[in-house]
Amino acid sequence: MPKSKSVRLQDHFADLTDPRRRKVTYPLINVVVIAICAVICGADDFVAIAEFGRKKRHWFERFLDLKDGIPSHDRFNAILAAIKPAEFEKCLLSWIVALHEVTDGQVVAIDGKTLRRSFDAASGKAAIHMVSAWATANQISLGQVAVDAKSNEITAIPKLLEMLEISGSLVTIDAMGCQVEIARRIVEGEADYCLAAKENQPTLFNGIETHFSDHMEDDFVRTPVRRHETKEKGHGREEHRYYFICPVPDDLPDRARWAHLTAIGMVVSNTQRNGKDCNEVRYYILSRYLSGRKFAEAVRSHWGIENRLHWQLDVTFQEDQCRIRKGHADQNFSILRRTALGMLKNESSLKVGIKNKRLTAGWDEAYLEKVILGV
């Protein structure tokens, strides 16, 4: 995906609807820019955002009109609670893509995460659950949607797919997303899928399990197979994984329901920890017959979303401790965190972890400019 001609925030946020009806004191772009920079530099709530804006006012005056000053934390809260999350994310993604060329054909992992402290007992508001798409090669959040309180990820994932430009990519989703409609949407988006299959699709699951059990007995002499094997050691454990991928058999039950179903896969994991063995088998359906190595990379890339996105959001950005819950503020703050994380990961000149990159950006305005300008 080629870079756009402009990386100016003002250009990418020109279509963001200002939710305020009365006379506007603080330009919307000021609120957005200060909030993004503050979250990059370590702000985890609206008080911190407002304080960051005041401390860095002279720096912000280089490119923002601050004649009316810095908004209070209540103003930041009210405005971000009213901005439409879908519009906000679209604008941020447009800007991120302009800064960082998104690798064509990469794995896009889709997974859900609950913001545990976002529930509000007084109003009866449940904790918000976000479904996110993560570009694994570029480590950029491509989009997210909130799961409706009376629904689940099965209905949220198609909405997310509508937002994304996934053509040419390989979309990976865990067993919750192994649904006929979701597979169809991915294929219609000119992408391929690698979906984990479990007992929520019993006919399909049993057919795949039977196929691999049968052919494992004679080491696949009766059917084509592509393989890959990995060994890893660390953190007091040894992991040995075997990957197998076969063309979809003609007699696989339920085959006709799945769009472009081309291959089925199996991953056998053997983990040794403290002298104890743990064995696990996982099954997958795919719309492309990958090599054994590519199949392994797709599976491992999806597992990586837990460490590269969810773990960082919890540990470095304290997302699970955040109690922001007014209006759309929880969703929009979540979008800010994911945007900040992607930008920090893509800044490679400083060889430290995300936590220390956030601290450095707060201390060093030249480094902050590197992060937000993508240079």
Side-chain angles (χ1 to χ4, degrees):
M1 191 178 297
K3 291 188 178 184
S4 63
K5 294 181 179 180
S6 173
V7 297
R8 294 177 66 251
L9 265 170
Q10 289 88 338
D11 295 336
H12 295 279
F13 284 85
D15 295 330
L16 181 61
T17 303
D18 194 328
R20 295 167 290 182
R21 300 299 179 89
R22 299 179 181 177
K23 182 180 178 181
V24 172
T25 302
Y26 307 106
L28 186 58
I29 191 64
N30 291 10
V31 175
V32 170
V33 171
I34 294 170
I36 292 171
C37 292
V39 173
I40 288 171
C41 295
D44 293 323
D45 56 42
F46 293 113
V47 173
I49 288 175
E51 187 63 21
F52 179 85
R54 286 190 286 270
K55 295 297 185 184
K56 296 288 187 180
R57 177 168 178 169
H58 292 306
W59 182 74
F60 281 119
E61 283 177 335
R62 293 168 50 195
F63 46 89
L64 296 177
D65 178 7
L66 297 180
K67 65 177 182 294
D68 292 310
I70 303 295
S72 68
H73 70 275
D74 286 333
R75 285 291 85 206
F76 277 107
N77 193 344
I79 294 170
L80 283 167
I83 289 174
K84 295 177 181 178
E87 284 189 10
F88 189 44
E89 180 149 47
K90 183 177 179 181
C91 294
L92 277 171
L93 181 58
S94 172
W95 178 50
I96 292 296
V97 170
L99 291 173
H100 305 287
E101 185 173 349
V102 178
T103 303
D104 187 31
Q106 70 177 305
V107 174
V108 174
I110 294 179
D111 201 12
K113 181 182 184 297
T114 300
L115 282 61
R116 302 193 182 281
R117 289 295 187 95
S118 60
F119 71 92
D120 186 0
S123 65
K125 181 179 181 180
I128 188 172
H129 187 81
M130 306 297 296
V131 177
S132 304
W134 183 252
T136 59
N138 298 92
Q139 302 190 62
I140 291 174
S141 177
L142 297 179
Q144 62 179 14
V145 295
V147 176
D148 186 82
K150 297 181 180 180
S151 184
N152 55 36
E153 291 184 15
I154 295 174
T155 57
I157 291 173
K159 295 178 183 177
L160 179 60
L161 290 171
E162 289 178 3
M163 296 169 47
L164 303 176
E165 171 50 59
I166 58 173
S167 60
S169 65
L170 177 64
V171 178
T172 64
I173 314 177
D174 62 15
M176 176 68 79
C178 187
Q179 305 291 329
V180 171
E181 176 63 16
I182 290 173
R184 183 183 65 80
R185 293 284 187 96
I186 293 171
V187 171
E188 287 178 350
E190 298 182 354
D192 285 297
Y193 59 76
C194 176
L195 308 179
K198 289 188 178 180
E199 288 87 346
N200 62 331
Q201 297 287 346
T203 303
L204 177 70
F205 177 83
N206 292 334
I208 297 173
E209 185 180 44
T210 298
H211 176 85
F212 280 107
S213 296
D214 177 33
H215 289 285
M216 285 284 283
E217 291 182 358
D218 58 12
D219 199 29
F220 297 92
V221 297
R222 291 170 287 125
T223 188
V225 66
R226 294 173 179 174
R227 315 170 191 240
H228 188 66
E229 183 178 338
T230 61
K231 293 182 180 180
E232 296 179 2
K233 181 184 293 187
H235 304 289
R237 66 181 182 182
E238 294 184 21
E239 292 181 313
H240 199 165
R241 293 192 179 96
Y242 305 88
Y243 300 84
F244 305 90
I245 182 169
C246 296
V248 61
D250 293 335
D251 60 351
L252 181 72
D254 226 17
R255 173 183 178 177
R257 297 175 60 229
W258 299 87
H260 287 203
L261 178 55
T262 303
I264 56 176
M266 178 178 69
V267 180
V268 180
S269 302
N270 176 261
T271 303
Q272 290 185 331
R273 178 181 288 173
N274 300 324
K276 296 182 179 179
D277 284 345
C278 177
N279 297 302
E280 184 180 23
V281 180
R282 301 188 185 193
Y283 299 106
Y284 297 84
I285 60 172
L286 302 95
S287 61
R288 189 195 311 172
Y289 187 27
L290 304 172
S291 68
R293 181 180 294 276
K294 290 292 185 182
F295 173 50
E297 289 174 356
V299 172
R300 294 300 300 274
S301 293
H302 187 84
W303 293 343
I305 194 174
E306 289 291 336
N307 295 327
R308 295 171 184 158
L309 178 62
H310 295 166
W311 186 87
Q312 288 281 8
L313 291 171
D314 284 342
V315 174
T316 307
F317 288 79
Q318 299 292 300
E319 183 168 76
D320 267 356
Q321 302 305 313
C322 183
R323 300 184 68 88
I324 295 170
R325 55 176 69 106
K326 179 180 177 182
H328 298 308
D330 47 8
Q331 293 185 51
N332 286 328
F333 215 105
S334 177
I335 292 168
L336 285 172
R337 291 189 201 98
R338 284 158 172 75
T339 300
L341 176 58
M343 297 177 74
L344 288 163
K345 281 183 173 291
N346 274 277
E347 203 302 298
S348 58
S349 67
L350 188 62
K351 307 302 181 184
V352 297
I354 298 299
K355 177 182 177 180
N356 286 318
K357 283 186 177 183
R358 293 184 85 189
L359 290 171
T360 304
W363 297 329
D364 185 347
E365 292 167 357
Y367 180 70
L368 176 57
E369 289 182 19
K370 276 188 175 184
V371 174
I372 64 173
L373 297 177
V375 297

